[in-house]
Amino acid sequence: MQVAAVARPTVNRQVVKSQAFFGFGSGGNKSTTVAAAPQYYICVDCGYIYDRGDFKKAPDSYKCPVCKSAKSRFKVYKGAVKGKPSNTGAALQQRFKARQW
């Protein structure tokens, strides 16, 4: 049994240029990248905000300087921070009451 070859119609294909999403694949154009805002971590027990750099690089033995809670008691702070966060007594109480984590 012999199978006959089927002729396919020719299709004009065009080159598709991919879009860059969120700055990926933009060809290294640094003018479009936006610096990420620092991510702050807050102690859920007292409201203290860790502001000494990258919290993930802090040792596992790190404890809150105010209430001595373990590093596991810190969560990502979702409130707005302008400049360096204030860790005064009044600011701690206000953040603790707002529970923005």
Side-chain angles (χ1 to χ4, degrees), residues 34-40:
V34 178
Q39 190 173 33
Y40 293 105

Side-chain angles (χ1 to χ4, degrees), residues 71-87:
K71 182 180 178 182
S72 62
R73 297 294 296 159
F74 281 77
K75 305 294 179 203
V76 175
Y77 182 58
K78 297 178 183 175
V81 176
K82 293 182 182 176
K84 188 174 179 180
S86 172
N87 283 316

Side-chain angles (χ1 to χ4, degrees), residues 4-76:
V6 178
R8 294 185 179 180
T10 58
V11 178
N12 291 334
R13 296 182 185 226
Q14 298 175 356
V15 176
V16 177
K17 196 171 192 178
S18 63
Q19 297 284 329
F21 293 106
F22 306 109
F24 295 110
S26 61
N29 187 357
K30 303 228 183 227
S31 64
T32 60
T33 59
V34 178
Q39 190 173 33
Y40 293 105
Y41 283 77
I42 186 170
C43 176
V44 297
D45 294 328
C46 70
Y48 175 81
I49 291 185
Y50 181 85
D51 61 350
R52 295 182 183 107
D54 190 6
F55 184 73
K56 293 178 183 177
K57 291 182 181 177
D60 290 336
S61 61
Y62 176 80
K63 296 194 180 286
C64 176
V66 177
C67 68
K68 307 298 182 214
S69 293
K71 182 180 178 182
S72 62
R73 297 294 296 159
F74 281 77
K75 305 294 179 203
V76 175

